[in-house]
Amino acid sequence: MRLCINIDHIATLREARGGVEPDPVTAAQICELAGAEGIVCHLREDRRHINDRDLRLLRETVKTKLDLEMAATEEIVKIAIETLPELVTFVPERRQELTTEGGLDVRGHKHHLGDVIKEMHRHDIEVSLFIDPKAEQVEAAREVETDKIEIHTGEFAGARNEREQLELLEVVRTSAKLARELGMGVNAGHGLNYLNVQMMCSVTEIEEMSIGHSIISRAVFVGLDRAVREMLALVR
Ligand code: PXP
């Protein structure tokens, strides 16, 4: 199980003052030095946190693997091709949302997603689709020939009690198994934290966890290096 860290919220903090600190590029280096196996950032259409300069410098400095979360729009697709991250993760994007709120409707956008995935593959960029743990979305993901899916774990993370949490864990497991049977790689993320991540690690089909908010929040109190190492110890 690999841990990839989303550093968007370092940039969110910088944007709160519109200055130059804290710098997400420095954060990425600290995460890598602490043992993170990948760095994730989301270049949003409105550039509310990560901006073009961050992405350019992250591409130059990330030594593990860069996962660019993005909407499948013309502008961002062009930037991805210029940047050449190791992985792009397509996510739905709505301007009003606080964070990515649901998975992609792959079934409803097969044509467009199929085209952009081919475009990414022409440039040797691996592709992941962020989807809810639903069989019809997993099957549609296979049809558009993505390499991987990232299962949205937000519902699991928001469970109100242990029974609900266990039920939602099995929902994730079923989709992860199906994806592997269909030949796709499986990542997972959203809402994972120091209390629930080990339960999610019992889904052995998951190869990579993408975690942001909980690690950056803990870093405010214990420092980023320690926050990353503590999460790594749980994941491993
Ligand atoms: N994966 C995807 C596709 C996301 O959009 C996000 C949130 O930016 C995450 C993982 C990480 O979620 P969290 O910040 O809740 O750990």
mmCIF file of all heavy atoms in Angstrom, residues 58-83:
data_model
loop_
_atom_site.group_PDB
_atom_site.id
_atom_site.type_symbol
_atom_site.label_atom_id
_atom_site.label_comp_id
_atom_site.label_asym_id
_atom_site.label_seq_id
_atom_site.Cartn_x
_atom_site.Cartn_y
_atom_site.Cartn_z
ATOM 1 N N LEU A 58 6.487 21.920 -9.121
ATOM 2 C CA LEU A 58 6.305 20.549 -8.609
ATOM 3 C C LEU A 58 6.798 19.550 -9.649
ATOM 4 O O LEU A 58 7.465 18.580 -9.320
ATOM 5 C CB LEU A 58 4.832 20.283 -8.267
ATOM 6 C CG LEU A 58 4.329 20.965 -6.990
ATOM 7 C CD1 LEU A 58 2.806 20.903 -6.900
ATOM 8 C CD2 LEU A 58 4.959 20.335 -5.749
ATOM 9 N N ARG A 59 6.474 19.840 -10.905
ATOM 10 C CA ARG A 59 6.938 18.919 -11.962
ATOM 11 C C ARG A 59 8.470 18.848 -11.989
ATOM 12 O O ARG A 59 9.065 17.797 -12.214
ATOM 13 C CB ARG A 59 6.370 19.366 -13.318
ATOM 14 C CG ARG A 59 6.880 18.608 -14.533
ATOM 15 C CD ARG A 59 6.575 17.103 -14.530
ATOM 16 N NE ARG A 59 7.149 16.376 -13.404
ATOM 17 C CZ ARG A 59 6.954 15.087 -13.153
ATOM 18 N NH1 ARG A 59 6.178 14.371 -13.920
ATOM 19 N NH2 ARG A 59 7.522 14.495 -12.115
ATOM 20 N N GLU A 60 9.102 20.005 -11.745
ATOM 21 C CA GLU A 60 10.567 20.019 -11.773
ATOM 22 C C GLU A 60 11.182 19.343 -10.563
ATOM 23 O O GLU A 60 12.291 18.825 -10.632
ATOM 24 C CB GLU A 60 11.082 21.467 -11.822
ATOM 25 C CG GLU A 60 11.022 22.057 -13.220
ATOM 26 C CD GLU A 60 11.620 23.454 -13.239
ATOM 27 O OE1 GLU A 60 12.530 23.739 -12.434
ATOM 28 O OE2 GLU A 60 11.150 24.273 -14.040
ATOM 29 N N THR A 61 10.477 19.367 -9.406
ATOM 30 C CA THR A 61 11.137 18.964 -8.164
ATOM 31 C C THR A 61 10.652 17.648 -7.551
ATOM 32 O O THR A 61 11.387 17.049 -6.768
ATOM 33 C CB THR A 61 10.994 20.080 -7.098
ATOM 34 O OG1 THR A 61 9.597 20.385 -6.961
ATOM 35 C CG2 THR A 61 11.730 21.331 -7.493
ATOM 36 N N VAL A 62 9.436 17.216 -7.888
ATOM 37 C CA VAL A 62 8.937 15.960 -7.295
ATOM 38 C C VAL A 62 9.730 14.788 -7.858
ATOM 39 O O VAL A 62 9.879 14.654 -9.065
ATOM 40 C CB VAL A 62 7.417 15.780 -7.571
ATOM 41 C CG1 VAL A 62 6.966 14.351 -7.267
ATOM 42 C CG2 VAL A 62 6.612 16.760 -6.739
ATOM 43 N N LYS A 63 10.252 13.986 -6.931
ATOM 44 C CA LYS A 63 11.125 12.886 -7.367
ATOM 45 C C LYS A 63 10.420 11.530 -7.302
ATOM 46 O O LYS A 63 10.905 10.559 -7.857
ATOM 47 C CB LYS A 63 12.380 12.840 -6.486
ATOM 48 C CG LYS A 63 13.229 14.076 -6.644
ATOM 49 C CD LYS A 63 14.228 14.209 -5.494
ATOM 50 C CE LYS A 63 14.765 15.620 -5.417
ATOM 51 N NZ LYS A 63 13.741 16.576 -4.892
ATOM 52 N N THR A 64 9.299 11.447 -6.583
ATOM 53 C CA THR A 64 8.594 10.168 -6.473
ATOM 54 C C THR A 64 7.650 10.038 -7.665
ATOM 55 O O THR A 64 8.030 9.486 -8.702
ATOM 56 C CB THR A 64 7.828 10.090 -5.147
ATOM 57 O OG1 THR A 64 7.036 11.280 -4.990
ATOM 58 C CG2 THR A 64 8.788 9.960 -3.971
ATOM 59 N N LYS A 65 6.480 10.612 -7.544
ATOM 60 C CA LYS A 65 5.517 10.539 -8.640
ATOM 61 C C LYS A 65 4.530 11.672 -8.454
ATOM 62 O O LYS A 65 4.133 11.969 -7.320
ATOM 63 C CB LYS A 65 4.877 9.157 -8.606
ATOM 64 C CG LYS A 65 3.410 9.095 -8.641
ATOM 65 C CD LYS A 65 2.953 7.667 -8.551
ATOM 66 C CE LYS A 65 1.502 7.642 -8.966
ATOM 67 N NZ LYS A 65 0.921 6.320 -8.934
ATOM 68 N N LEU A 66 4.190 12.338 -9.542
ATOM 69 C CA LEU A 66 3.250 13.456 -9.467
ATOM 70 C C LEU A 66 1.910 13.020 -10.039
ATOM 71 O O LEU A 66 1.824 12.563 -11.181
ATOM 72 C CB LEU A 66 3.816 14.655 -10.249
ATOM 73 C CG LEU A 66 2.975 15.924 -10.230
ATOM 74 C CD1 LEU A 66 2.821 16.497 -8.814
ATOM 75 C CD2 LEU A 66 3.603 17.000 -11.147
ATOM 76 N N ASP A 67 0.878 13.171 -9.207
ATOM 77 C CA ASP A 67 -0.493 12.830 -9.612
ATOM 78 C C ASP A 67 -1.254 14.149 -9.715
ATOM 79 O O ASP A 67 -1.453 14.832 -8.716
ATOM 80 C CB ASP A 67 -1.101 11.896 -8.549
ATOM 81 C CG ASP A 67 -2.585 11.612 -8.768
ATOM 82 O OD1 ASP A 67 -3.160 12.059 -9.774
ATOM 83 O OD2 ASP A 67 -3.166 10.917 -7.898
ATOM 84 N N LEU A 68 -1.653 14.500 -10.927
ATOM 85 C CA LEU A 68 -2.390 15.755 -11.142
ATOM 86 C C LEU A 68 -3.883 15.447 -11.198
ATOM 87 O O LEU A 68 -4.358 14.772 -12.108
ATOM 88 C CB LEU A 68 -1.931 16.408 -12.460
ATOM 89 C CG LEU A 68 -2.696 17.655 -12.890
ATOM 90 C CD1 LEU A 68 -2.563 18.786 -11.873
ATOM 91 C CD2 LEU A 68 -2.223 18.129 -14.266
ATOM 92 N N GLU A 69 -4.603 15.972 -10.191
ATOM 93 C CA GLU A 69 -6.066 15.859 -10.226
ATOM 94 C C GLU A 69 -6.581 16.984 -11.092
ATOM 95 O O GLU A 69 -6.125 18.139 -10.963
ATOM 96 C CB GLU A 69 -6.637 16.054 -8.821
ATOM 97 C CG GLU A 69 -6.507 14.857 -7.934
ATOM 98 C CD GLU A 69 -7.126 15.136 -6.575
ATOM 99 O OE1 GLU A 69 -7.924 16.084 -6.430
ATOM 100 O OE2 GLU A 69 -6.785 14.426 -5.635
ATOM 101 N N MET A 70 -7.549 16.687 -11.928
ATOM 102 C CA MET A 70 -8.004 17.726 -12.858
ATOM 103 C C MET A 70 -9.380 17.415 -13.436
ATOM 104 O O MET A 70 -9.788 16.250 -13.485
ATOM 105 C CB MET A 70 -6.997 17.863 -14.002
ATOM 106 C CG MET A 70 -6.708 16.554 -14.713
ATOM 107 S SD MET A 70 -5.464 16.735 -16.010
ATOM 108 C CE MET A 70 -6.518 17.261 -17.369
ATOM 109 N N ALA A 71 -10.051 18.465 -13.887
ATOM 110 C CA ALA A 71 -11.287 18.275 -14.649
ATOM 111 C C ALA A 71 -10.878 18.034 -16.102
ATOM 112 O O ALA A 71 -9.817 18.485 -16.541
ATOM 113 C CB ALA A 71 -12.143 19.529 -14.534
ATOM 114 N N ALA A 72 -11.748 17.345 -16.830
ATOM 115 C CA ALA A 72 -11.401 17.009 -18.223
ATOM 116 C C ALA A 72 -11.794 18.149 -19.164
ATOM 117 O O ALA A 72 -12.528 17.969 -20.128
ATOM 118 C CB ALA A 72 -12.102 15.713 -18.612
ATOM 119 N N THR A 73 -11.283 19.361 -18.865
ATOM 120 C CA THR A 73 -11.608 20.519 -19.713
ATOM 121 C C THR A 73 -10.432 20.791 -20.657
ATOM 122 O O THR A 73 -9.291 20.400 -20.377
ATOM 123 C CB THR A 73 -11.834 21.788 -18.852
ATOM 124 O OG1 THR A 73 -10.607 22.054 -18.138
ATOM 125 C CG2 THR A 73 -12.949 21.591 -17.844
ATOM 126 N N GLU A 74 -10.739 21.521 -21.733
ATOM 127 C CA GLU A 74 -9.728 21.752 -22.766
ATOM 128 C C GLU A 74 -8.474 22.436 -22.200
ATOM 129 O O GLU A 74 -7.347 22.009 -22.453
ATOM 130 C CB GLU A 74 -10.355 22.626 -23.857
ATOM 131 C CG GLU A 74 -9.673 22.481 -25.185
ATOM 132 C CD GLU A 74 -10.327 23.384 -26.224
ATOM 133 O OE1 GLU A 74 -11.567 23.534 -26.205
ATOM 134 O OE2 GLU A 74 -9.560 23.952 -27.028
ATOM 135 N N GLU A 75 -8.703 23.479 -21.378
ATOM 136 C CA GLU A 75 -7.558 24.241 -20.841
ATOM 137 C C GLU A 75 -6.645 23.347 -19.988
ATOM 138 O O GLU A 75 -5.425 23.344 -20.146
ATOM 139 C CB GLU A 75 -8.075 25.394 -19.969
ATOM 140 C CG GLU A 75 -6.947 26.283 -19.453
ATOM 141 C CD GLU A 75 -7.224 26.934 -18.102
ATOM 142 O OE1 GLU A 75 -8.271 26.665 -17.495
ATOM 143 O OE2 GLU A 75 -6.342 27.697 -17.651
ATOM 144 N N ILE A 76 -7.248 22.597 -19.077
ATOM 145 C CA ILE A 76 -6.440 21.813 -18.134
ATOM 146 C C ILE A 76 -5.809 20.602 -18.829
ATOM 147 O O ILE A 76 -4.692 20.201 -18.505
ATOM 148 C CB ILE A 76 -7.270 21.404 -16.885
ATOM 149 C CG1 ILE A 76 -7.981 22.627 -16.280
ATOM 150 C CG2 ILE A 76 -6.398 20.734 -15.844
ATOM 151 C CD1 ILE A 76 -7.114 23.621 -15.546
ATOM 152 N N VAL A 77 -6.510 20.036 -19.787
ATOM 153 C CA VAL A 77 -5.926 18.914 -20.544
ATOM 154 C C VAL A 77 -4.657 19.392 -21.245
ATOM 155 O O VAL A 77 -3.620 18.708 -21.240
ATOM 156 C CB VAL A 77 -6.945 18.342 -21.563
ATOM 157 C CG1 VAL A 77 -6.263 17.447 -22.591
ATOM 158 C CG2 VAL A 77 -8.034 17.546 -20.828
ATOM 159 N N LYS A 78 -4.705 20.604 -21.808
ATOM 160 C CA LYS A 78 -3.529 21.153 -22.507
ATOM 161 C C LYS A 78 -2.359 21.328 -21.514
ATOM 162 O O LYS A 78 -1.217 20.965 -21.792
ATOM 163 C CB LYS A 78 -3.916 22.520 -23.114
ATOM 164 C CG LYS A 78 -2.890 23.124 -23.991
ATOM 165 C CD LYS A 78 -3.517 24.264 -24.822
ATOM 166 C CE LYS A 78 -2.430 25.051 -25.522
ATOM 167 N NZ LYS A 78 -1.774 26.040 -24.666
ATOM 168 N N ILE A 79 -2.682 21.838 -20.317
ATOM 169 C CA ILE A 79 -1.636 22.029 -19.296
ATOM 170 C C ILE A 79 -1.048 20.676 -18.873
ATOM 171 O O ILE A 79 0.165 20.540 -18.711
ATOM 172 C CB ILE A 79 -2.206 22.798 -18.077
ATOM 173 C CG1 ILE A 79 -2.530 24.235 -18.493
ATOM 174 C CG2 ILE A 79 -1.230 22.780 -16.901
ATOM 175 C CD1 ILE A 79 -3.263 25.049 -17.454
ATOM 176 N N ALA A 80 -1.903 19.666 -18.738
ATOM 177 C CA ALA A 80 -1.412 18.332 -18.336
ATOM 178 C C ALA A 80 -0.428 17.804 -19.379
ATOM 179 O O ALA A 80 0.620 17.239 -19.023
ATOM 180 C CB ALA A 80 -2.586 17.375 -18.168
ATOM 181 N N ILE A 81 -0.743 18.009 -20.627
ATOM 182 C CA ILE A 81 0.137 17.496 -21.693
ATOM 183 C C ILE A 81 1.482 18.241 -21.680
ATOM 184 O O ILE A 81 2.528 17.641 -21.916
ATOM 185 C CB ILE A 81 -0.576 17.605 -23.058
ATOM 186 C CG1 ILE A 81 -1.719 16.573 -23.099
ATOM 187 C CG2 ILE A 81 0.384 17.389 -24.214
ATOM 188 C CD1 ILE A 81 -2.669 16.748 -24.241
ATOM 189 N N GLU A 82 1.429 19.532 -21.364
ATOM 190 C CA GLU A 82 2.702 20.287 -21.276
ATOM 191 C C GLU A 82 3.507 19.865 -20.047
ATOM 192 O O GLU A 82 4.734 19.861 -20.051
ATOM 193 C CB GLU A 82 2.411 21.798 -21.185
ATOM 194 C CG GLU A 82 1.965 22.394 -22.506
ATOM 195 C CD GLU A 82 1.236 23.733 -22.327
ATOM 196 O OE1 GLU A 82 1.224 24.281 -21.191
ATOM 197 O OE2 GLU A 82 0.665 24.204 -23.317
ATOM 198 N N THR A 83 2.795 19.492 -18.963
ATOM 199 C CA THR A 83 3.459 19.200 -17.687
ATOM 200 C C THR A 83 3.970 17.760 -17.595
ATOM 201 O O THR A 83 4.982 17.504 -16.941
ATOM 202 C CB THR A 83 2.462 19.456 -16.517
ATOM 203 O OG1 THR A 83 1.918 20.767 -16.671
ATOM 204 C CG2 THR A 83 3.133 19.336 -15.176
#
